[in-house]
Amino acid sequence: MTKVKFIILILFLIILFPLCMVFGSVDIPAEQVVKILAGADVENEVWKVIIIESRLPMALTAILAGASLSVSGLLLQTAFNNPLAGPSILGISTGASLGVAIIMLAMGGAVTALGATYYAAIIGGAAIGALSVLLLLLFLSTIVKSTTMLLIVGILTGYLTSSAISLLNFFATQEGVHSFIIWGLGNFSGVTMNKLPIFAATSIISLAGATLMIKPLNALLLGNRYAESMGLNITRTRNAILLFSGLLTAIVTAYCGPIGFIGLVVPHIARMIMGTSNHTVILPATILSGAIVGLLCALISVLPSKVEVLPLNAITPIIGVPIIIYIILERKRLHYFN
């Protein structure tokens, strides 16, 4: 039955990917999309540019970003034994936002003047901000032994970075605030084909690293004392989980902006589908489910409008909130951590 469920997830992924290629602001016939992807000549070169330079990298970004955020949420939920833990709970996302705020708000939103250099500065600022918070948490984890206390420290760190962002917004120009708000709405369309290789490589390496945590994660499900009795170093395992979760969150936030709900909700979707908390099954299911949700959000973002791509953070709550409410109402029946 587990194999059948995996096959169904893969089929959903296979169906959604070509839909993201076909639908968009410009109507392109499906047969022409197939020809373009196959490398054949087409009657309209503009269609080829749209598919290769816009829709293809957007779909691939959606797959990788959805999978990365979902796995990050799964790692944190298991590490903190908290079904409502997500990538933003430790302040890593807000750390990335602070890095971008410093770039955007200090420069007055001069996007047009700086061009590609400005985009590189945004990615660099987000990465530095997120990794700074991650390194701070890793340092504090050597002092704070309690997992619950570390979670509280992460939340407080998020509040501090949010406060700094609010101050920057208050003193910034109108153009800078507007640019920062647009970035904060999240999108998959900012990663072009030229930028995709670095994003893909870092995401895949971090996901591969997360798969190495399957056995320690399963041990943590049985409780810290049992895990320690099995020879597991809790502090080292917790730091490894923070590292991989933080890297996955930092990479996606740097390239796509802070995206809510995917990391929080998708691990629960994977558990409900697979009917188990065994990470040998749940982690690959979370990767597939996250990729599917990422593609679904990308598809929804281009359907209603022929001009603009809808922001992701206007879409993810529509998917996420009903699932979270269901989890809260059915928490006694859904034995995730047993």
Side-chain angles (χ1 to χ4, degrees), residues 2-332:
T2 299
K3 290 183 179 179
V4 173
K5 292 177 180 178
F6 273 116
I7 291 171
I8 292 172
L9 288 174
I10 293 171
L11 287 176
F12 269 107
L13 193 63
I14 292 172
I15 292 169
L16 284 172
F17 186 82
L19 289 178
C20 288
M21 294 294 99
V22 173
F23 291 101
S25 58
V26 177
D27 293 326
I28 303 176
E31 63 273 13
Q32 295 298 317
V33 173
V34 173
K35 286 184 179 180
I36 292 170
L37 293 176
D41 293 330
V42 291
E43 56 189 66
N44 192 330
E45 286 297 320
V46 176
W47 290 350
K48 185 175 182 179
V49 172
I50 292 172
I51 295 297
I52 300 300
E53 297 297 329
S54 178
R55 295 185 187 178
L56 180 59
M58 182 178 179
L60 294 175
T61 300
I63 290 173
L64 292 170
S68 298
L69 291 175
S70 302
V71 170
S72 176
L74 176 66
L75 296 178
L76 294 175
Q77 287 171 13
T78 302
F80 293 106
N81 194 28
N82 187 336
L84 296 180
S88 61
I89 198 168
L90 293 177
I92 296 171
S93 293
T94 50
S97 298
L98 177 59
V100 173
I102 292 172
I103 298 296
M104 285 189 171
L105 302 181
M107 299 178 69
V111 182
T112 306
L114 292 174
T117 305
Y118 184 83
Y119 184 83
I122 290 174
I123 294 176
I128 291 170
L131 293 176
S132 297
V133 173
L134 175 60
L135 291 174
L136 175 63
L137 290 173
L138 289 173
F139 169 73
L140 292 174
S141 69
T142 62
I143 303 171
V144 180
K145 301 301 180 183
S146 170
T147 301
T148 303
M149 289 298 103
L150 184 61
L151 180 61
I152 293 173
V153 169
I155 294 171
L156 293 176
T157 303
Y159 280 126
L160 286 175
T161 52
S162 294
S163 176
I165 292 170
S166 297
L167 289 172
L168 286 170
N169 272 301
F170 182 79
F171 291 106
T173 63
Q174 183 177 352
E175 293 80 4
V177 173
H178 177 74
S179 298
F180 181 71
I181 290 174
I182 295 299
W183 176 84
L185 293 174
N187 72 89
F188 293 140
S189 59
V191 182
T192 63
M193 190 58 75
N194 291 332
K195 303 178 182 75
L196 184 63
I198 296 176
F199 174 71
T202 51
S203 298
I204 291 171
I205 291 171
S206 299
L207 285 170
T211 60
L212 300 177
M213 301 298 298
I214 287 177
K215 288 185 177 180
L217 288 168
N218 281 337
L220 288 176
L221 288 177
L222 301 173
N224 288 352
R225 289 186 178 179
Y226 183 84
E228 286 177 336
S229 70
M230 295 176 63
L232 187 69
N233 187 314
I234 298 298
T235 301
R236 189 180 301 166
T237 300
R238 184 179 65 181
N239 289 347
I241 289 172
L242 286 175
L243 177 62
F244 287 120
S245 176
L247 286 175
L248 289 167
T249 304
I251 293 163
V252 175
T253 306
Y255 280 87
C256 306
I259 301 171
F261 282 98
I262 291 180
L264 174 62
V265 169
V266 172
H268 294 293
I269 295 175
R271 292 187 188 101
M272 285 188 284
I273 292 172
M274 306 310 294
T276 180
S277 290
N278 182 354
H279 287 80
T280 306
V281 176
I282 287 300
L283 198 144
T286 299
I287 292 175
L288 287 173
S289 300
I292 290 168
V293 170
L295 282 177
L296 182 61
C297 290
L299 182 60
I300 294 173
S301 70
V302 300
L303 285 180
S305 175
K306 290 294 184 181
V307 181
E308 299 289 343
V309 176
L310 295 180
L312 292 174
N313 285 327
I315 299 169
T316 54
I318 298 173
I319 299 172
V321 170
I323 295 174
I324 294 300
I325 292 174
Y326 174 77
I327 291 166
I328 293 172
L329 294 177
E330 299 292 330
R331 62 188 181 279
K332 293 182 179 179

